[in-house]
Amino acid sequence: MRHNLNAKRWNSNKSHGYSVATFGVLLAFSVRYILHPLLGASLPLFFFQLNTILVAYFFGLFPALLTLALSAPLMIFYFLEPFGALSVVDQRDVTLMLAYLSYTLLTGFLVELLRREKYNANMAFLVSETRLKLMVEGDQKMRSIMRKTLSKR
């Protein structure tokens, strides 16, 4: 089952994942925006990262990449100093965005592999269970045939 081409289908409703990813970005933005007076410039990525991890786990890599594309501009504009203004991006901002990009890609890729392997394990279990049932049914048929032939003698 190592090369199961259907492993990409572990999530049956990816289109729903894109709408959930968009809603999650809006929710993460709202929570961070409400807490902005308390947090200031600290933790600009935290709620967006939580959203990305959850979206990657439940819906896969591509919806998680959508969260990255939607949340990066929001985070730069609203939660990096100077707040609410587009300014020249400095080394700290570039480092922060590269960390967020690499974190998102790594997490999304690892979660995607994890979910595919889980799907493969479930498929292998179902196949082995079916084979066992077929073997038991075949054994029962062979025993009944042997009993009939022995009882005729």
Side-chain angles (χ1 to χ4, degrees):
M1 297 296 289
R2 179 144 176 88
H3 299 290
N4 185 357
L5 298 177
N6 288 328
K8 294 177 184 175
R9 297 176 181 247
W10 64 266
N11 182 8
S12 60
N13 195 0
K14 281 213 184 233
S15 61
H16 180 66
Y18 292 107
S19 58
V20 170
T22 305
F23 178 74
V25 169
L26 293 175
L27 184 66
F29 173 76
S30 299
V31 170
R32 179 62 176 88
Y33 192 77
I34 290 168
L35 294 175
H36 184 64
L38 298 173
L39 297 175
S42 63
L43 300 174
L45 295 172
F46 182 71
F47 296 103
F48 295 113
Q49 287 176 336
L50 286 178
N51 177 49
T52 301
I53 292 169
L54 291 174
V55 167
Y57 182 77
F58 288 110
F59 300 106
L61 179 63
F62 293 110
L65 291 177
L66 176 65
T67 65
L68 172 71
L70 294 176
S71 62
L74 291 172
M75 182 183 57
I76 289 171
F77 188 76
Y78 288 101
F79 306 122
L80 294 180
E81 293 178 342
F83 302 121
L86 291 176
S87 64
V88 177
V89 179
D90 62 356
Q91 182 65 30
R92 181 177 167 261
D93 298 340
V94 171
T95 304
L96 186 69
M97 290 311 297
L98 285 176
Y100 183 47
L101 174 68
S102 62
Y103 180 84
T104 301
L105 290 175
L106 180 66
T107 303
F109 182 70
L110 290 176
V111 167
E112 183 77 20
L113 289 178
L114 172 76
R115 296 294 284 211
R116 286 184 184 189
E117 287 302 316
K118 183 179 177 186
Y119 180 86
N120 281 337
N122 286 340
M123 288 296 110
F125 173 74
L126 292 174
V127 167
S128 65
E129 192 174 66
T130 303
R131 287 180 180 167
L132 177 65
K133 286 179 184 177
L134 290 173
M135 286 175 44
V136 167
E137 288 174 7
D139 184 52
Q140 289 174 347
K141 287 179 185 177
M142 289 296 292
R143 288 177 189 253
S144 67
I145 291 172
M146 290 175 70
R147 281 189 199 123
K148 288 179 184 177
T149 56
L150 291 176
S151 65
K152 287 182 183 179
R153 288 186 182 177

